[in-house]
Amino acid sequence: MVHGPISEKHRMRKMKLEYNDTTFRRAFSFTVMRNPWTRLVSGYRDKLSDEETQGADKRSIGVRIVSEMRNISNRSIVRDQELYPTFQEFAAFLVKHQGNNNPHFSAQIETLCIPKAKYDFVVPLEYAGPLSSEVLGKINANVTLMGSYDKASDPRLQKSTIYAREWLSKLDPEIVNKLYSIFKTDFTLLNYSNFSHPDFPLPLYSV
């Protein structure tokens, strides 16, 4: 999904003004999904953490997490002292609230409107590169889908994968099980591997 102003003219609410229902039903459509574990870690790093090169894009959510998980009633203290949630606090917060309605932290099937929306292809982000020619060839687009901003091309060696293995293994198993339940449909849709699997975060089938 392309972000913000760049994609606004291509959003469904805009496109529906230009095309009728018959055209939409006949149109070729695809979407991209990601292993929920690496997505969870990547979302935390990019939106909530204090990482120098990422983080704090969703500062208001981070402030809420810290305030709630550390029992700090005055959120100004959290802001003034520049307190950021740990990954453990973020995970516990999601479990407590059965997820979050922000699209960066909710199940992908909700954002993608599955099963109501129908797609010709659901592309695993981990295979976005090699699948680009097959998928985008359908619309005569001579581009390549970028699998990640990470310098490592192999998804198994990327930072969010490494962090996911480390951070998730340190969580209380009960928290991990509850997180899995929240994102279970995302896992099962493409048969995604668990963080303990040697081929994590790849789907458990060959492309």
Side-chain angles (χ1 to χ4, degrees):
M1 182 180 292
V2 181
H3 290 72
I6 297 175
S7 66
E8 184 60 31
K9 66 181 180 179
H10 301 297
R11 301 255 175 195
M12 192 63 72
R13 60 179 176 274
K14 297 282 187 179
M15 300 287 282
K16 288 183 74 173
L17 299 176
E18 300 182 35
Y19 302 100
N20 59 37
D21 288 342
T22 300
T23 301
F24 271 110
R25 285 195 293 271
R26 292 176 178 174
F28 172 78
S29 62
F30 73 95
T31 190
V32 179
M33 290 188 69
R34 186 179 190 179
N35 186 301
W37 289 136
T38 50
R39 179 174 177 263
L40 197 67
V41 168
S42 179
Y44 165 76
R45 293 178 62 213
D46 185 44
K47 307 300 179 185
L48 303 173
S49 76
D50 61 352
E51 277 194 55
E52 194 170 312
T53 57
Q54 301 194 55
D57 182 70
K58 299 296 178 184
R59 182 62 178 139
S60 61
I61 298 177
V63 168
R64 179 188 171 192
I65 294 172
V66 172
S67 177
E68 189 172 316
M69 304 312 293
R70 301 184 196 179
N71 295 315
I72 302 174
S73 57
N74 187 346
R75 295 189 180 182
S76 295
I77 294 175
V78 179
R79 295 188 185 93
D80 294 343
Q81 295 187 14
E82 297 184 353
L83 303 177
Y84 293 83
T86 65
F87 181 72
Q88 289 86 347
E89 289 170 334
F90 170 55
F93 179 86
L94 288 180
V95 167
K96 180 179 179 181
H97 295 279
Q98 283 294 299
N100 185 276
N101 59 7
N102 184 286
H104 294 95
F105 310 123
S106 60
Q108 294 166 89
I109 61 162
E110 295 175 9
T111 304
L112 300 175
C113 303
I114 295 173
K116 187 174 182 179
K118 307 296 182 183
Y119 298 96
D120 295 293
F121 279 84
V122 178
V123 181
L125 180 70
E126 297 78 13
Y127 290 124
L131 286 176
S132 290
S133 57
E134 180 180 358
V135 175
L136 297 180
K138 300 284 186 180
I139 54 174
N140 298 317
N142 187 26
V143 295
T144 299
L145 290 172
M146 184 171 66
S148 172
Y149 296 113
D150 199 291
K151 292 180 180 179
S153 58
D154 188 335
R156 293 167 292 189
L157 303 177
Q158 292 170 357
K159 283 187 177 179
S160 286
T161 299
I162 295 170
Y163 287 142
R165 286 187 186 278
E166 178 184 348
W167 295 350
L168 289 162
S169 65
K170 292 179 180 178
L171 290 180
D172 185 314
E174 184 177 352
I175 293 289
V176 173
N177 289 336
K178 289 180 177 178
L179 284 173
Y180 179 83
S181 296
I182 293 171
F183 300 103
K184 183 176 180 179
T185 308
D186 285 357
F187 279 107
T188 57
L189 187 64
L190 293 182
N191 195 25
Y192 269 117
S193 54
N194 194 17
F195 62 88
S196 58
H197 194 279
D199 281 331
F200 172 74
L202 304 179
L204 297 178
Y205 58 77
S206 300
V207 173

Short mmCIF file of all heavy atoms in Angstrom, two decimals, residues 155-181:
data_model
loop_
_atom_site.label_atom_id
_atom_site.label_comp_id
_atom_site.label_asym_id
_atom_site.label_seq_id
_atom_site.Cartn_x
_atom_site.Cartn_y
_atom_site.Cartn_z
N PRO A 155 15.19 -12.10 3.23
CA PRO A 155 14.33 -11.72 4.36
C PRO A 155 14.76 -12.37 5.67
O PRO A 155 14.51 -11.81 6.74
CB PRO A 155 12.94 -12.22 3.93
CG PRO A 155 13.00 -12.29 2.45
CD PRO A 155 14.41 -12.69 2.12
N ARG A 156 15.41 -13.52 5.60
CA ARG A 156 15.83 -14.23 6.82
C ARG A 156 16.98 -13.53 7.53
O ARG A 156 17.26 -13.83 8.70
CB ARG A 156 16.21 -15.67 6.47
CG ARG A 156 15.03 -16.52 6.02
CD ARG A 156 15.47 -17.83 5.39
NE ARG A 156 16.15 -17.61 4.11
CZ ARG A 156 16.49 -18.56 3.28
NH1 ARG A 156 16.21 -19.83 3.58
NH2 ARG A 156 17.10 -18.29 2.14
N LEU A 157 17.63 -12.60 6.82
CA LEU A 157 18.80 -11.90 7.39
C LEU A 157 18.53 -10.44 7.68
O LEU A 157 19.42 -9.70 8.11
CB LEU A 157 19.98 -12.01 6.42
CG LEU A 157 20.41 -13.43 6.03
CD1 LEU A 157 21.54 -13.37 5.01
CD2 LEU A 157 20.82 -14.23 7.26
N GLN A 158 17.30 -10.00 7.47
CA GLN A 158 16.98 -8.59 7.68
C GLN A 158 16.80 -8.27 9.16
O GLN A 158 16.50 -9.14 9.98
CB GLN A 158 15.72 -8.23 6.88
CG GLN A 158 15.97 -8.27 5.38
CD GLN A 158 14.71 -8.17 4.54
OE1 GLN A 158 13.61 -8.13 5.07
NE2 GLN A 158 14.88 -8.13 3.24
N LYS A 159 16.96 -6.99 9.50
CA LYS A 159 16.97 -6.58 10.90
C LYS A 159 15.69 -6.94 11.64
O LYS A 159 15.74 -7.41 12.78
CB LYS A 159 17.21 -5.07 10.99
CG LYS A 159 18.66 -4.65 10.78
CD LYS A 159 18.85 -3.17 11.06
CE LYS A 159 20.31 -2.77 10.93
NZ LYS A 159 20.51 -1.32 11.19
N SER A 160 14.55 -6.70 11.01
CA SER A 160 13.29 -6.99 11.71
C SER A 160 13.13 -8.48 11.97
O SER A 160 12.51 -8.88 12.96
CB SER A 160 12.09 -6.46 10.90
OG SER A 160 12.02 -5.06 11.00
N THR A 161 13.70 -9.31 11.10
CA THR A 161 13.67 -10.75 11.32
C THR A 161 14.55 -11.13 12.51
O THR A 161 14.15 -11.91 13.38
CB THR A 161 14.17 -11.50 10.06
OG1 THR A 161 13.31 -11.19 8.97
CG2 THR A 161 14.18 -13.00 10.30
N ILE A 162 15.75 -10.55 12.54
CA ILE A 162 16.68 -10.83 13.64
C ILE A 162 16.10 -10.35 14.97
O ILE A 162 16.13 -11.07 15.98
CB ILE A 162 18.04 -10.16 13.36
CG1 ILE A 162 18.69 -10.79 12.12
CG2 ILE A 162 18.96 -10.28 14.58
CD1 ILE A 162 19.90 -10.05 11.61
N TYR A 163 15.56 -9.13 14.97
CA TYR A 163 14.94 -8.61 16.18
C TYR A 163 13.74 -9.44 16.59
O TYR A 163 13.51 -9.67 17.79
CB TYR A 163 14.53 -7.15 15.99
CG TYR A 163 15.67 -6.17 15.96
CD1 TYR A 163 15.65 -5.08 15.09
CD2 TYR A 163 16.76 -6.30 16.80
CE1 TYR A 163 16.68 -4.17 15.05
CE2 TYR A 163 17.81 -5.40 16.78
CZ TYR A 163 17.76 -4.32 15.90
OH TYR A 163 18.79 -3.42 15.87
N ALA A 164 12.94 -9.87 15.62
CA ALA A 164 11.75 -10.66 15.92
C ALA A 164 12.12 -11.96 16.63
O ALA A 164 11.49 -12.35 17.62
CB ALA A 164 10.95 -10.95 14.65
N ARG A 165 13.14 -12.65 16.12
CA ARG A 165 13.58 -13.89 16.77
C ARG A 165 13.98 -13.62 18.22
O ARG A 165 13.60 -14.36 19.14
CB ARG A 165 14.78 -14.47 16.03
CG ARG A 165 14.48 -15.12 14.70
CD ARG A 165 15.75 -15.80 14.18
NE ARG A 165 15.58 -16.34 12.84
CZ ARG A 165 15.02 -17.51 12.57
NH1 ARG A 165 14.56 -18.25 13.56
NH2 ARG A 165 14.92 -17.94 11.32
N GLU A 166 14.75 -12.56 18.41
CA GLU A 166 15.27 -12.25 19.74
C GLU A 166 14.16 -11.77 20.68
O GLU A 166 14.01 -12.29 21.80
CB GLU A 166 16.34 -11.18 19.62
CG GLU A 166 16.93 -10.74 20.96
CD GLU A 166 17.92 -9.60 20.81
OE1 GLU A 166 18.33 -9.28 19.66
OE2 GLU A 166 18.27 -9.00 21.85
N TRP A 167 13.39 -10.79 20.26
CA TRP A 167 12.41 -10.17 21.14
C TRP A 167 11.24 -11.10 21.45
O TRP A 167 10.78 -11.17 22.59
CB TRP A 167 11.90 -8.88 20.52
CG TRP A 167 12.94 -7.81 20.37
CD1 TRP A 167 14.20 -7.81 20.91
CD2 TRP A 167 12.82 -6.59 19.64
NE1 TRP A 167 14.87 -6.67 20.56
CE2 TRP A 167 14.06 -5.89 19.79
CE3 TRP A 167 11.81 -6.02 18.88
CZ2 TRP A 167 14.28 -4.65 19.19
CZ3 TRP A 167 12.02 -4.77 18.29
CH2 TRP A 167 13.24 -4.10 18.45
N LEU A 168 10.75 -11.80 20.44
CA LEU A 168 9.61 -12.68 20.67
C LEU A 168 9.97 -13.86 21.56
O LEU A 168 9.15 -14.33 22.34
CB LEU A 168 9.05 -13.16 19.33
CG LEU A 168 8.31 -12.08 18.51
CD1 LEU A 168 8.18 -12.51 17.06
CD2 LEU A 168 6.94 -11.78 19.10
N SER A 169 11.20 -14.33 21.43
CA SER A 169 11.63 -15.47 22.26
C SER A 169 11.74 -15.09 23.74
O SER A 169 11.72 -15.96 24.61
CB SER A 169 12.98 -16.02 21.77
OG SER A 169 14.00 -15.05 21.94
N LYS A 170 11.83 -13.78 24.02
CA LYS A 170 11.94 -13.31 25.40
C LYS A 170 10.58 -13.00 26.03
O LYS A 170 10.50 -12.76 27.23
CB LYS A 170 12.83 -12.07 25.46
CG LYS A 170 14.29 -12.34 25.13
CD LYS A 170 15.11 -11.07 25.18
CE LYS A 170 16.58 -11.34 24.86
NZ LYS A 170 17.39 -10.10 24.87
N LEU A 171 9.53 -12.98 25.21
CA LEU A 171 8.20 -12.70 25.74
C LEU A 171 7.65 -13.89 26.50
O LEU A 171 8.01 -15.04 26.24
CB LEU A 171 7.24 -12.34 24.60
CG LEU A 171 7.43 -11.02 23.87
CD1 LEU A 171 6.36 -10.88 22.79
CD2 LEU A 171 7.38 -9.84 24.82
N ASP A 172 6.74 -13.62 27.41
CA ASP A 172 6.01 -14.68 28.09
C ASP A 172 5.28 -15.50 27.04
O ASP A 172 4.60 -14.94 26.17
CB ASP A 172 5.01 -14.04 29.06
CG ASP A 172 4.29 -15.07 29.92
OD1 ASP A 172 3.82 -16.09 29.37
OD2 ASP A 172 4.16 -14.84 31.14
N PRO A 173 5.40 -16.83 27.05
CA PRO A 173 4.72 -17.67 26.05
C PRO A 173 3.22 -17.41 25.96
O PRO A 173 2.63 -17.53 24.88
CB PRO A 173 5.01 -19.10 26.54
CG PRO A 173 6.29 -18.98 27.29
CD PRO A 173 6.24 -17.63 27.96
N GLU A 174 2.61 -17.04 27.06
CA GLU A 174 1.17 -16.75 27.04
C GLU A 174 0.88 -15.51 26.20
O GLU A 174 -0.11 -15.47 25.46
CB GLU A 174 0.66 -16.54 28.47
CG GLU A 174 -0.86 -16.33 28.53
CD GLU A 174 -1.37 -16.21 29.95
OE1 GLU A 174 -0.58 -16.42 30.90
OE2 GLU A 174 -2.57 -15.89 30.12
N ILE A 175 1.76 -14.51 26.29
CA ILE A 175 1.62 -13.31 25.47
C ILE A 175 1.78 -13.66 24.00
O ILE A 175 1.02 -13.20 23.14
CB ILE A 175 2.66 -12.24 25.88
CG1 ILE A 175 2.38 -11.71 27.29
CG2 ILE A 175 2.68 -11.09 24.87
CD1 ILE A 175 1.15 -10.84 27.41
N VAL A 176 2.78 -14.49 23.69
CA VAL A 176 3.03 -14.91 22.30
C VAL A 176 1.81 -15.64 21.75
O VAL A 176 1.37 -15.37 20.62
CB VAL A 176 4.28 -15.81 22.21
CG1 VAL A 176 4.43 -16.39 20.81
CG2 VAL A 176 5.53 -15.03 22.60
N ASN A 177 1.25 -16.54 22.52
CA ASN A 177 0.07 -17.31 22.07
C ASN A 177 -1.12 -16.39 21.81
O ASN A 177 -1.87 -16.58 20.85
CB ASN A 177 -0.30 -18.36 23.11
CG ASN A 177 0.72 -19.50 23.16
OD1 ASN A 177 1.43 -19.75 22.19
ND2 ASN A 177 0.79 -20.18 24.29
N LYS A 178 -1.29 -15.40 22.68
CA LYS A 178 -2.41 -14.47 22.50
C LYS A 178 -2.20 -13.56 21.30
O LYS A 178 -3.15 -13.24 20.58
CB LYS A 178 -2.62 -13.66 23.77
CG LYS A 178 -3.19 -14.49 24.92
CD LYS A 178 -3.41 -13.67 26.18
CE LYS A 178 -4.04 -14.52 27.28
NZ LYS A 178 -4.23 -13.76 28.55
N LEU A 179 -0.96 -13.16 21.07
CA LEU A 179 -0.66 -12.37 19.87
C LEU A 179 -0.93 -13.19 18.62
O LEU A 179 -1.50 -12.69 17.64
CB LEU A 179 0.81 -11.93 19.89
CG LEU A 179 1.19 -10.78 20.82
CD1 LEU A 179 2.70 -10.59 20.82
CD2 LEU A 179 0.51 -9.49 20.41
N TYR A 180 -0.53 -14.46 18.66
CA TYR A 180 -0.79 -15.33 17.51
C TYR A 180 -2.30 -15.42 17.24
O TYR A 180 -2.73 -15.39 16.08
CB TYR A 180 -0.23 -16.74 17.76
CG TYR A 180 -0.51 -17.69 16.61
CD1 TYR A 180 0.33 -17.72 15.50
CD2 TYR A 180 -1.62 -18.52 16.63
CE1 TYR A 180 0.07 -18.56 14.43
CE2 TYR A 180 -1.89 -19.38 15.56
CZ TYR A 180 -1.05 -19.39 14.47
OH TYR A 180 -1.32 -20.21 13.41
N SER A 181 -3.09 -15.51 18.28
CA SER A 181 -4.54 -15.60 18.13
C SER A 181 -5.10 -14.36 17.46
O SER A 181 -6.01 -14.43 16.62
CB SER A 181 -5.21 -15.81 19.49
OG SER A 181 -4.82 -17.05 20.05
#
